[in-house]
Every structure is written in structure tokens, then in C-alpha cells.
């Protein structure tokens, strides 16, 4: 019973409303103060964090002592949003104290152009650490899914070498030729893989909205763009846009440079970005165009729809993601999403963990509406 009262007391935050009668002691009292500094700062229970860098630094140390890293990341994000601590993140000692995550990276990228020189290297170290963790988590799965999809998409009935034969599918295709008395299967048709690994087999164009609401999607897009660019079978381009269009393809070897090449915030001209990306596509039927945007168009809407229609009619596999993040679909333009659906292009949010399978489905030209229903229900 005491443990339940203790937990409820920490959840409710004390005062006349909690009704538990439990008084935190020792570490519990310090944990309670750390929580109150963010979630009850407006009631002055613990005086909040104010704008004092030393106090924030102590608080960051406290929460890392008392809570697991996933909880620390949530508390940091809430503190930045609720207590307006953004400016303090420009101080190097603050950056060294925080627990890095995607949302912190998004905040630092938004502050990139007002960041003093003495903070810039600390900020890059934070971003590089998060990017490294994401690459370790996502790279192998992405490469495996895409390589398998490319192999399946490149099947042939005339494999040149025995090593290229897909024996499982060959046996399935020839079961009717099984001779029971000889316990032998006579393969009249071989199923194998075309060996074209050294050639570019798909063109992939990532077109990413860098307006403020898309911050986490920008981070994940930069990481995935670098992974895709490392695969010789793909020709990968990365374009980011607001009212201007910036091609970051030549920086894909270093996703940290890619991210610092973005500029979060500002207006949106999707049509202008799509027009630029159209020029990058040289083999429509072997191309995948991925637009990542909340679809709030500040440009010419009818031209945007016309361009998307032209791309699909030319054979381009067009994918529209409302978000590439763990948070689900953001607030988005439902009218534009409906207009795209009328063109046969569904708009939906995708998590980073599902993105490799989505790419594999696109490479094999599967029905993406059905893929979405199976994987993102």
C-alpha cells in the first residue's frame, strides 16, 4: 500500500489535491522537485527553472540520475516547450548536459543560424551522436530490405549461373513435373536472379518539407537518405524545401552535414520543389519519388497536382508521407491529401521502423494502399 501511495503522490504532485498523505523523503523528495520544476512551475511549488543556466544544469543532472533515458528525453522536451528554455541550449555547457534525441536535434537545427560559434561544435557533437545511433539502428535493416526487394524485382527465367538459381521458387514452379516412381523432379523452368548489382537499378528522389512542423521528419529523412545513397544499386537524391529549393545530394555521404544544411521553418512551395525533382528523374519507370510534407501548399496547387499526375502517368512510383517520425500524422491539409488520393496517390504517415519495408514494397511496385492497410493499421 505504501508503494502505491508513493507512486500516486509523485504522479499527483502534492498539495491539497493529491489526498495521499504521503510525504516524499530523501531521493523521492528530490525526484518530486525535479518533476515539479517542469510540471508545476506555474504554481511555484519549487520555483520552476527560470532562466538560470546553473539551475537548469543541476536539474538536467538530477533527472538523469532519477529517470531512465527515455523519460529524460520526454522531460527535456517538455521543459524546452513549457518553460521556454530554448535560448539556454545555445550555451555549450547545456549541450553537454542534455540527453540527445531526435527532438533535441530538431531544436538545434532550428537554432542553427542564430547559434554562437562557441556552441556550434557542441551542437554538432550532439547531432552526430543521435545520427550515429539512428544509423546503427536503421542501416542494416534498410539495406537488407531493399537488397532483397531488388533481387526479387530482378528475377529471370534464364539465370546465367547455378549460384543465381532461386531453388525454392524453381521447385514450386515445377511441382507438376515430379516423377513419383523415380522420386525426381524435372525442372522445365528455372527461376533465378539477374545479376546486375553493379548497375543502378532504381532512382530514388526524397523531397522533404523543412517547415517547422516537419522537424523530426527532416532528421529521419537525412539519415535514410545517407543510407540509400550508400547503396550502389540506387541513385539517390535529397531535396529539401520551404519557399526555396535546396539540393543536398552532394552531402549525403555525411548526414550531419545534410542536417545542418537544412533550415527549419518558413513558408512552403511544394509545387516548386516537385518541379525541380521532376528534372532529376531520368528513368520514370525505374524511379521512386517520395514527397514528405504536411501538404500545406503556399505555391500553385493546381500545378502541383498536375505535376504529380504527370509523374504517375509516366510510371514513377509516387509516395506521399505526411510524416516520417514516431509521432504519427501531424496536422495536415486534408483537401490536398484527398486530391492526391483521387490521382491514385495515398498520403499517410510512416514510422522510421516501417520505412525500409515501404521502400521494399515500392521497389517491387506493390499496391501501396494495401501495404499501408497491412503494416500501418
Amino acid at each position: 500500500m505504501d508503494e502505491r501511495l508513493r507512486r500516486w503522490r509523485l504522479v499527483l504532485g502534492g498539495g491539497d489535491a493529491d489526498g495521499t498523505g504521503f510525504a516524499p523523503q530523501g531521493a523521492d523528495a528530490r525526484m518530486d522537485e525535479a518533476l515539479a520544476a517542469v510540471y508545476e512551475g506555474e504554481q511555484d511549488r519549487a520555483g520552476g527553472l527560470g532562466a538560470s543556466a546553473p539551475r537548469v544544469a543541476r536539474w538536467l543532472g538530477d533527472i538523469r540520475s532519477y529517470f531512465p533515458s527515455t523519460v529524460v528525453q520526454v522531460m527535456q522536451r517538455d521543459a524546452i516547450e513549457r518553460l521556454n528554455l530554448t535560448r539556454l541550449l545555445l550555451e555549450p555547457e547545456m549541450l553537454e548536459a542534455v540527453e540527445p534525441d531526435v527532438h533535441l536535434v530538431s531544436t538545434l537545427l532550428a537554432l542553427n543560424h542564430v547559434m554562437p560559434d562557441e556552441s556550434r561544435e557542441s551542437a554538432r557533437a550532439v547531432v552526430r551522436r543521435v545520427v550515429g545511433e539512428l544509423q546503427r539502428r536503421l542501416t542494416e535493416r534498410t539495406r537488407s530490405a531493399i537488397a532483397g526487394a531488388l533481387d526479387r524485382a530482378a528475377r529471370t527465367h534464364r539465370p546465367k549461373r547455378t549460384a543465381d538459381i532461386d531453388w525454392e521458387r524453381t521447385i514450386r514452379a515445377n511441382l507438376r513435373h515430379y516423377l513419383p516412381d523415380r522420386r525426381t523432379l524435372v525442372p522445365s523452368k528455372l527461376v533465378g536472379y539477374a545479376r546486375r548489382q553493379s548497375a543502378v537499378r532504381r532512382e530514388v528522389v526524397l523531397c522533404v518539407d523543412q517547415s517547422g512542423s516537419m522537424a523530426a521528419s527532416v532528421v529521419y529523412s537525412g539519415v535514410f537518405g545517407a543510407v540509400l545513397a550508400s547503396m550502389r544499386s540506387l541513385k539517390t537524391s535529397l531535396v529539401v524545401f520551404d519557399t526555396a529549393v535546396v539540393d543536398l545530394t552532394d552531402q549525403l555521404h555525411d548526414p550531419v552535414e545534410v542536417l545542418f544544411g537544412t533550415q527549419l521553418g518558413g513558408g512552403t512551395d511544394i509545387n516548386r520543389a516537385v518541379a525541380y525533382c521532376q528534372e532529376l528523374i531520368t528513368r520514370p519507370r525505374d524511379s521512386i519519388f517520395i514527397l514528405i510534407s504536411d501538404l500545406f501548399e503556399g505555391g500553385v496547387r493546381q500545378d502541383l497536382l498536375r505535376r504529380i499526375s504527370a509523374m504517375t502517368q509516366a510510371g514513377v512510383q509516387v509516395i506521399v508521407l505526411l510524416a516520417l517520425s514516431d509521432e504519427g500524422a501531424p496536422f495536415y491539409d486534408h483537401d490536398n491529401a484527398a486530391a492526391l488520393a483521387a490521382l491514385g496517390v495515398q498520403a499517410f504517415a510512416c514510422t522510421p521502423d516501417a520505412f525500409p519495408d515501404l521502400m521494399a514494397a515500392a521497389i517491387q511496385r506493390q499496391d501501396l494502399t494495401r501495404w499501408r492497410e497491412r503494416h500501418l493499421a
Side-chain angles (χ1 to χ4, degrees), residues 146-205:
I146 290 175
L150 287 169
D151 284 343
R152 287 188 289 273
R155 284 201 185 97
T156 178
H157 293 301
R158 301 180 65 183
K160 294 182 179 180
R161 305 189 315 171
T162 303
D164 297 335
I165 298 174
D166 183 335
W167 288 108
E168 180 179 354
R169 290 185 175 274
T170 295
I171 290 171
R172 287 181 182 178
N174 291 278
L175 286 175
R176 64 180 180 276
H177 302 303
Y178 179 66
L179 304 177
D181 55 328
R182 299 188 180 184
R183 303 181 65 181
T184 299
L185 184 145
V186 180
S188 64
K189 179 173 66 174
L190 298 177
V191 181
Y193 304 120
R195 299 185 65 82
R196 294 182 293 153
Q197 284 81 353
S198 60
V200 172
R201 292 155 67 180
R202 292 291 188 277
E203 294 182 358
V204 179
V205 179

Side-chain angles (χ1 to χ4, degrees), residues 67-346:
F67 303 101
S69 61
T70 52
V71 176
V72 170
Q73 291 167 6
V74 172
M75 293 180 69
Q76 286 177 172
R77 184 162 70 249
D78 288 346
I80 292 169
E81 294 174 355
R82 294 164 66 98
L83 305 180
N84 194 27
L85 301 181
T86 301
R87 295 293 301 179
L88 289 178
L89 290 177
L90 300 181
E91 300 184 20
E93 58 268 27
M94 291 296 101
L95 291 173
E96 293 168 5
V98 294
E99 186 77 27
D101 70 340
V102 169
H103 298 282
L104 179 60
V105 168
S106 302
T107 301
L108 294 177
L109 295 179
L111 295 171
N112 181 32
H113 296 284
V114 298
M115 190 175 294
D117 291 340
E118 61 267 23
S119 300
R120 199 169 299 278
E121 284 308 309
S122 297
R124 282 182 176 271
V126 170
V127 174
R128 193 169 294 280
R129 178 177 167 185
V130 173
V131 166
E133 291 174 354
L134 292 176
Q135 286 182 304
R136 285 189 290 274
R137 167 186 153 195
L138 299 170
T139 296
E140 189 56 40
R141 181 176 176 184
T142 302
R143 287 178 175 169
S144 177
I146 290 175
L150 287 169
D151 284 343
R152 287 188 289 273
R155 284 201 185 97
T156 178
H157 293 301
R158 301 180 65 183
K160 294 182 179 180
R161 305 189 315 171
T162 303
D164 297 335
I165 298 174
D166 183 335
W167 288 108
E168 180 179 354
R169 290 185 175 274
T170 295
I171 290 171
R172 287 181 182 178
N174 291 278
L175 286 175
R176 64 180 180 276
H177 302 303
Y178 179 66
L179 304 177
D181 55 328
R182 299 188 180 184
R183 303 181 65 181
T184 299
L185 184 145
V186 180
S188 64
K189 179 173 66 174
L190 298 177
V191 181
Y193 304 120
R195 299 185 65 82
R196 294 182 293 153
Q197 284 81 353
S198 60
V200 172
R201 292 155 67 180
R202 292 291 188 277
E203 294 182 358
V204 179
V205 179
L206 287 166
C207 184
V208 186
D209 185 341
Q210 58 179 352
S211 58
S213 62
M214 303 299 296
S217 297
V218 171
V219 176
Y220 281 113
S221 297
V223 172
F224 276 118
V227 175
L228 298 177
S230 70
M231 302 184 68
R232 289 183 297 175
S233 296
L234 303 178
K235 177 186 175 184
T236 303
S237 302
L238 175 64
V239 175
V240 298
F241 67 92
D242 42 35
T243 53
V245 179
V246 180
D247 192 330
L248 297 175
T249 303
D250 61 351
Q251 298 180 36
L252 281 173
H253 63 281
D254 186 346
V256 176
E257 289 301 318
V258 167
L259 294 180
F260 275 97
T262 63
Q263 182 174 335
L264 295 176
T268 309
D269 191 339
I270 307 174
N271 174 58
R272 185 176 182 182
V274 173
Y276 178 87
C277 292
Q278 273 186 296
E279 300 299 319
L280 300 177
I281 296 172
T282 60
R283 298 160 47 190
R285 295 195 173 276
D286 291 325
S287 296
I288 302 168
F289 173 68
I290 306 169
L291 173 64
I292 304 175
S293 173
D294 56 15
L295 299 180
F296 286 104
E297 172 64 308
V300 184
R301 178 177 185 268
Q302 288 305 315
D303 284 356
L304 166 64
L305 297 175
R306 177 177 55 79
R307 292 182 191 283
I308 295 293
S309 176
M311 292 172 74
T312 59
Q313 290 178 20
V316 177
Q317 182 81 301
V318 177
I319 301 171
V320 176
L321 299 181
L322 301 171
L324 179 56
S325 70
D326 294 304
E327 280 70 43
F331 186 62
Y332 65 94
D333 190 310
H334 290 261
D335 290 339
N336 282 338
L340 289 170
L343 299 175
V345 178
Q346 296 292 325

